[in-house]
Amino acid sequence: MNIDQLAKVTHAEVSAHQKSETEILTLCYDSRQATHLPNELFVALKGATQDGHDYIPELLRKGSKFFLVEKDIPVASGGTFIKVKSCLLALQQIASYKRNQFEGCVIGITGSNGKTIVKEWLTSVLTTSHTVLASPKSFNSQLGVPLSVWPISNKYDLAIFEAGISKPNEMEPLQEILSPDIGIFTNIGPAHEENFINLEQKVKEKLKLFKRAKTLIYYKDDQLISTLIDKHFKGDKIGWSRKSNGSIFVQKASNRLTIKWGDKAHYFNTSFEDEASIQNLTHVIVCSLFLGIEDNSVQERIDRIKPVNMRLELKRGIEGNFVIDDTYNNDLAGLNKALNFMEQQRSHEQKTLILSDFIQSKVTLEDFAKLNDLLISKGVDQLIGVGPQLSEASACFTIKSRFFESTEALINSDILDQLNNQLVLIKGSRKFALERVSLLLTEKVHKTRLEVNLDAVRHNLHFYKSLLKSSTKVMAVIKAMAYGSGSTEIAKLLEYNKIDYLAVAYADEGVALRKDGIDTPIMVMNPSEDDVYAMARNNLEPEVHGVSQLKHYYNAFKSLGRTLPVHLVINTGMNRLGFNESQIKQLKEVLSLMPDLEVKSIFSHLAASDEAEHEGFSLTQIESFKQIATDITSILAKQPLLHILNSGGITRFAEHQLDMVRLGIGLHGVEVNERLQSQLMRPAQLKTVISQIREVKAGESIGYGRKGKAVQDMTIAVMAIGYADGYLRVFGNGNAYVSINQQKVKTIGNVCMDMTMIDITGLSVKEGDEVTVFGNSPTVSELARWANTIPYEILTNVSGRVQRVFYAE
């Protein structure tokens, strides 16, 4: 679309309009992900905590030209501005216009669960016979849907989109955008149920997506869905059933799925056993058969289907590399998201992209030339292309490149051995099986892993920011490997999200962050006098709690020709580190002799911010701190930042946020006051696998000390985690449970150093199954209660030998 068309479709005013014929090829709604290419439109969305308009001056300086805005922007600034009443509404209008120009078939998917899986699997099957556009990942919201539709054009003959809602009246605008020809209703469940009167209202709202659809595929045995579809949907109904009450009868026996449609039977092999996967797979097969795909083609694609990995994973690699694994599918929209994720990681200067052909899209040489520009704008140093499509387009790439006809050719070459100290993004279609490359490049560790959802950390950060004034700064406390999660990776995320300060316990933690490219100011909370020169060289700012310590640091920094930046800690009742009130007079005298000293902040620690019974004591601490801080600042030339609130203090005493707050455990999804826990996400999940399953006869013992007893014949499993990994011995003997396939499974016998036994009698569990040790069920807080400790200890106790995997949805 060109500027004139955009303005017409959105009923916009255009200022500084000089190039009406300019075609807009890409959209950007996050200033950090802007490419500043000449055909990019920046959409200035307003969020709960940020306003896109605030980033326009910086974008203009970097070369961005076109902006969709809601406010008047001075014409003299040099950009072209398309002013609308609502940027989100304008995006939806643009998407609706583009969808109406599309001559192919649109498949729309909704339901409570399984939307993304059905979309991904169906896309995989249909690419055998169609050129398919599919929404990236789980882009199904009021913003995600129009962004998904933006690339649509008649070079595709089929498009598959999902639509999700969380409350009434949200589906109408999505229906106007997608207007699907074929619909798939996956299922109905409790997600977002708090916003609906009942499930019936929820189904009715979701059915609005299919207002103009000609055909609707659904599970007829769900009585509520079936009844409401019969009542409200006027098109052709394709309901499949396991009870012979529909035109399509589905039967699952062993590894065979039989679908009897009219007088014809179709047979498919599948390794899936769980109910959710069987339902999702049946939706895919029924839709494929409806579109005329041959059974053997469907089976061929089913054989390649694996559980959908809905995330970008960051793993520690061999030879100093880090690997971003995104090897499920490949399209231009998904690649852009992966490149944005790559751009956020600043641990390595050198960046390599391993990329397969785009088998789901018709990609032209012009597209590859634009891709080359995109890779340059994202700081990619080297492209390794896999597949004949990329090989034939090699002349379109000016960046350092090598191309291989197949994954086997890449693996057999020497190029993977040459990758060291790089950030490597692997992005490929399932056909190319680039996960083999990921395995070669990834550090080998045992199967227990701590998975950290970076999106959840970001969500928690913005939640706490929403409780603060816009002027209040935030210091993120990431000591002890960011509470066990991994300091560098969390620090990169926080820095990317404009955190004001980082805090670590010891100087070596700060030095490591500096070596990994972190530039954000860092406070060292427990520095040693031996670390003073390391702190000076690495621009670290020590916390100071004594006069002699202050003098030592001041003289050492001065000998290096540097100004000492300090954070003064005041003891107001914690009785740990800090200046007592009786020492403030002496402190002021020393400070008056150091006119070039820079006091960055003055702060104190609340001793019991998470306990209501000590609220009066906390308030006394706060008032005492304010008086002492005011006394100190009276002799300073520059006003330092004042801070006393930690995570618990932010939610309990927000009116005393002062100039800055310190956010620690809250980032990790633990609201210590438990009043706002439902507003947080839990980023960390500790997972392991079942190593072996064994039968134990009645009367036999289990584990060290023979503490486990089989009172009857039983089945136990051994999971690959023990106290050396941080799973405490107190969790043994039935004092804790883990989750396997959504089943709660209790421990039995003592926890060993590397293994723990669990009782799986009568449950559906097999060797190799994934075990959740903590996450959403059980939670870190539950483990803390079972161990009579606090969540901090559970998180920080996870051993360094446990692999950390960082991912974004």
Side-chain angles (χ1 to χ4, degrees):
M1 296 180 70
N2 62 37
I3 299 300
D4 278 343
Q5 289 173 316
L6 284 172
K8 184 176 180 180
V9 168
T10 59
H11 311 290
E13 300 174 10
V14 180
S15 60
H17 184 188
Q18 299 172 347
K19 295 182 178 179
S20 61
E21 73 280 4
T22 299
E23 288 285 330
I24 297 298
L25 301 178
T26 59
L27 299 177
C28 173
Y29 61 94
D30 185 332
S31 64
R32 298 162 302 179
Q33 298 173 0
T35 63
H36 315 296
L37 294 174
N39 299 90
E40 181 177 72
L41 176 69
F42 177 74
V43 183
L45 292 169
K46 290 182 180 179
T49 59
Q50 294 181 337
D51 185 344
H53 296 83
D54 297 338
Y55 299 91
I56 290 177
E58 178 185 358
L59 290 168
L60 285 164
R61 286 194 298 272
K62 292 181 177 180
S64 294
K65 302 289 186 185
F66 300 100
F67 302 86
L68 187 68
V69 299
E70 298 174 9
K71 302 177 181 178
D72 288 323
I73 307 293
V75 174
S77 59
T80 294
F81 302 95
I82 307 166
K83 184 184 174 186
V84 294
K85 290 183 179 180
S86 164
C87 286
L88 178 59
L89 175 60
L91 275 182
Q92 294 174 345
Q93 291 170 331
I94 292 166
S96 181
Y97 171 82
K98 296 196 75 172
R99 189 296 178 227
N100 289 334
Q101 309 306 306
F102 182 57
E103 298 172 1
C105 175
V106 172
I107 300 174
I109 305 171
T110 194
S112 294
N113 300 294
K115 296 185 292 294
T116 303
I117 291 174
V118 170
K119 179 203 68 189
E120 294 285 344
W121 289 357
L122 185 60
T123 301
S124 179
V125 171
L126 295 182
T127 49
T128 59
S129 56
H130 295 77
T131 304
V132 181
L133 171 69
S135 48
K137 301 295 182 180
S138 54
F139 270 43
N140 58 37
S141 65
Q142 301 294 309
L143 174 60
V145 168
L147 291 173
S148 298
V149 174
W150 169 260
I152 201 168
S153 74
N154 287 319
K155 72 179 182 181
Y156 302 98
D157 49 45
L158 195 149
I160 308 175
F161 303 111
E162 55 179 295
I165 60 172
S166 57
K167 57 188 177 182
N169 303 316
E170 285 189 334
M171 191 58 86
E172 285 93 338
L174 302 187
Q175 188 280 322
E176 289 293 329
I177 297 169
L178 296 180
S179 190
D181 303 293
I182 299 172
I184 299 176
F185 199 123
T186 60
N187 58 34
I188 198 68
H192 303 296
E193 64 181 0
E194 70 276 6
N195 296 325
F196 297 92
I197 298 171
N198 51 35
L199 281 181
E200 180 176 347
Q201 183 196 28
K202 192 174 176 182
V203 173
K204 287 180 179 178
E205 289 293 324
K206 288 181 178 290
L207 280 174
K208 291 178 180 178
L209 176 64
F210 311 120
K211 180 179 178 181
R212 297 188 180 92
K214 299 171 185 175
T215 306
L216 180 56
I217 298 166
Y218 62 101
Y219 181 38
K220 194 173 180 63
D221 295 344
D222 188 310
Q223 193 59 50
L224 178 60
I225 291 176
S226 185
T227 299
L228 292 175
I229 286 176
D230 285 341
K231 185 176 181 180
H232 296 284
F233 182 71
K234 305 305 180 185
D236 295 332
K237 304 173 183 66
I238 302 181
W240 59 270
S241 168
R242 291 177 172 172
K243 301 176 181 178
S244 300
N245 65 352
S247 59
I248 304 174
F249 174 58
V250 177
Q251 191 174 26
K252 174 71 165 59
S254 187
N255 289 331
R256 170 161 286 197
L257 192 66
T258 302
I259 297 179
K260 295 181 179 179
W261 194 333
D263 58 359
K264 186 175 182 181
H266 307 265
Y267 303 98
F268 300 97
N269 297 321
T270 176
S271 60
F272 290 121
E273 297 288 345
D274 63 290
E275 177 62 23
S277 293
I278 295 301
Q279 282 197 26
N280 293 333
L281 184 61
T282 304
H283 287 309
V284 170
I285 293 174
V286 169
C287 185
S288 301
L289 294 175
F290 174 74
L291 290 170
I293 309 299
E294 296 294 330
D295 291 16
N296 58 351
S297 294
V298 176
Q299 182 66 64
E300 180 186 352
R301 302 305 294 187
I302 288 175
D303 291 341
R304 297 180 182 178
I305 283 177
K306 296 182 180 180
V308 176
N309 188 355
M310 290 308 302
R311 62 204 200 184
L312 293 155
E313 291 189 342
L314 177 66
K315 306 173 184 178
R316 191 174 294 275
I318 60 174
E319 302 297 333
N321 297 312
F322 271 81
V323 177
I324 301 173
D325 191 340
D326 189 17
T327 55
Y328 184 77
N329 65 8
N330 196 22
D331 54 62
L332 289 170
L335 174 60
N336 198 43
K337 303 303 172 190
L339 288 170
N340 290 336
F341 182 74
M342 185 185 203
E343 193 177 25
Q344 294 177 32
Q345 316 309 317
R346 301 182 182 178
S347 55
H348 297 76
E349 289 186 6
Q350 293 296 309
K351 297 178 181 178
T352 291
L353 169 63
I354 301 176
L355 180 70
S356 82
D357 282 352
F358 300 91
I359 62 172
Q360 293 173 206
S361 309
K362 291 179 180 176
V363 185
T364 65
L365 293 178
E366 183 182 4
D367 291 325
F368 282 122
K370 292 173 184 173
L371 175 59
N372 178 70
D373 293 340
L374 175 64
L375 298 183
I376 293 172
S377 73
K378 293 297 183 182
V380 175
D381 300 286
Q382 178 180 213
L383 168 67
I384 299 174
V386 181
Q389 189 186 62
L390 279 164
S391 297
E392 290 174 8
S394 60
C396 297
F397 294 95
T398 60
I399 66 171
K400 181 181 177 182
S401 306
R402 281 187 65 179
F403 299 93
F404 300 88
E405 286 290 321
S406 66
T407 304
E408 289 72 20
L410 168 61
I411 291 172
N412 291 326
S413 74
D414 61 351
I415 193 168
L416 297 180
D417 297 329
Q418 298 171 16
L419 298 178
N420 58 78
N421 296 310
Q422 295 196 33
L423 181 61
V424 183
L425 168 60
I426 307 175
K427 178 71 174 167
S429 300
R430 177 59 61 186
K431 171 184 175 181
F432 290 90
L434 287 182
E435 62 269 19
R436 292 176 290 171
V437 178
S438 178
L439 287 171
L440 287 171
L441 294 178
T442 302
E443 188 178 60
K444 304 301 181 288
V445 291
H446 75 84
K447 294 293 186 179
T448 300
R449 50 195 254 161
L450 185 71
E451 298 181 353
V452 183
N453 184 343
L454 297 176
D455 290 333
V457 177
R458 182 187 296 110
H459 167 86
N460 295 339
L461 171 64
H462 288 305
F463 166 71
Y464 278 99
K465 279 188 171 183
S466 73
L467 304 178
L468 304 173
K469 301 172 185 175
S470 60
S471 60
T472 303
K473 297 182 181 297
V474 178
M475 173 183 282
V477 181
I478 57 170
K479 58 185 180 179
M481 284 184 66
Y483 295 68
S485 295
S487 301
T488 296
E489 291 76 16
I490 298 298
K492 290 173 192 167
L493 172 72
L494 296 172
E495 183 170 72
Y496 197 72
N497 282 271
K498 312 291 187 184
I499 200 75
D500 300 289
Y501 253 99
L502 297 171
V504 297
Y506 300 106
D508 57 355
E509 295 176 313
V511 171
L513 291 176
R514 289 288 186 243
K515 287 182 178 179
D516 285 336
I518 301 299
D519 297 321
T520 300
I522 299 175
M523 180 178 80
V524 180
M525 304 185 77
N526 191 19
S528 163
E529 292 189 359
D530 295 336
D531 296 324
V532 62
Y533 296 107
M535 286 190 289
R537 284 195 297 270
N538 290 279
N539 296 317
L540 304 177
E541 303 173 8
E543 168 189 317
V544 172
H545 53 263
V547 167
S548 61
Q549 181 194 35
L550 175 60
K551 291 178 179 178
H552 175 78
Y553 289 154
Y554 178 77
N555 291 329
F557 269 70
K558 195 164 187 176
S559 70
L560 296 173
R562 294 174 178 253
T563 298
L564 173 65
V566 297
H567 298 261
L568 304 176
V569 57
I570 309 301
N571 175 37
T572 56
M574 173 73 86
N575 285 316
R576 196 170 60 179
L577 296 176
F579 292 94
N580 293 329
E581 187 173 7
S582 60
Q583 298 173 299
I584 301 304
K585 181 179 179 181
Q586 182 187 11
L587 172 62
K588 289 169 62 180
E589 291 173 352
V590 172
L591 290 174
S592 66
L593 299 174
M594 302 175 176
D596 54 339
L597 178 75
E598 188 174 4
V599 179
K600 291 287 188 177
S601 81
I602 304 174
F603 70 104
S604 187
H605 292 279
L606 294 177
S609 64
D610 56 337
E611 298 179 37
E613 63 180 300
H614 298 303
E615 188 166 312
F617 182 79
S618 296
L619 290 170
T620 299
Q621 279 193 277
I622 292 170
E623 290 307 315
S624 175
F625 170 70
K626 288 180 179 178
Q627 293 175 16
I628 294 172
T630 300
D631 187 20
I632 296 172
T633 56
S634 66
I635 66 162
L636 299 177
K638 184 179 178 182
Q639 176 71 32
L641 299 170
L642 307 183
H643 51 110
I644 191 171
L645 298 187
N646 55 5
S647 296
I650 295 171
T651 56
R652 191 178 287 278
F653 307 109
E655 67 274 19
H656 298 292
Q657 57 194 258
L658 305 178
D659 303 307
M660 186 161 66
V661 296
R662 299 188 302 276
L663 185 55
I665 195 69
L667 283 172
H668 304 279
V670 178
E671 206 286 90
V672 291
N673 292 300
E674 297 188 349
R675 298 189 300 180
L676 300 174
Q677 181 62 56
S678 63
Q679 303 295 313
L680 297 177
M681 297 174 66
R682 296 183 177 92
Q685 294 192 78
L686 182 60
K687 294 182 177 181
T688 188
V689 296
I690 297 299
S691 298
Q692 187 179 32
I693 292 175
R694 64 189 313 113
E695 303 298 326
V696 180
K697 297 295 184 182
E700 292 184 350
S701 62
I702 300 164
Y704 284 120
R706 305 188 67 197
K707 295 296 183 183
K709 301 290 184 182
V711 296
Q712 59 185 13
D713 288 354
M714 64 188 302
T715 306
I716 68 168
V718 181
M719 57 182 190
I721 188 172
Y723 57 77
D725 303 299
Y727 196 61
L728 305 178
R729 277 174 55 85
V730 71
F731 296 141
N733 300 301
N735 293 323
Y737 74 82
V738 296
S739 290
I740 309 175
N741 302 328
Q742 300 182 334
Q743 304 165 105
K744 292 183 178 180
V745 184
K746 283 205 165 188
T747 59
I748 187 167
N750 280 330
V751 174
C752 309
M753 181 180 289
D754 311 299
M755 290 166 277
T756 303
M757 286 69 75
I758 51 179
D759 180 4
I760 61 169
T761 305
L763 300 178
S764 176
V765 178
K766 61 183 183 297
E767 291 181 3
D769 275 356
E770 184 177 79
V771 181
T772 298
V773 180
F774 67 66
N776 289 324
S777 179
T779 66
V780 168
S781 297
E782 285 178 302
L783 266 71
R785 284 196 295 272
W786 299 336
N788 193 29
T789 185
I790 56 178
Y792 299 76
E793 184 176 358
I794 301 299
L795 287 169
T796 58
N797 210 50
V798 178
S799 169
R801 77 176 186 175
V802 172
Q803 181 188 25
R804 269 70 173 174
V805 175
F806 302 88
Y807 68 93
E809 300 290 354

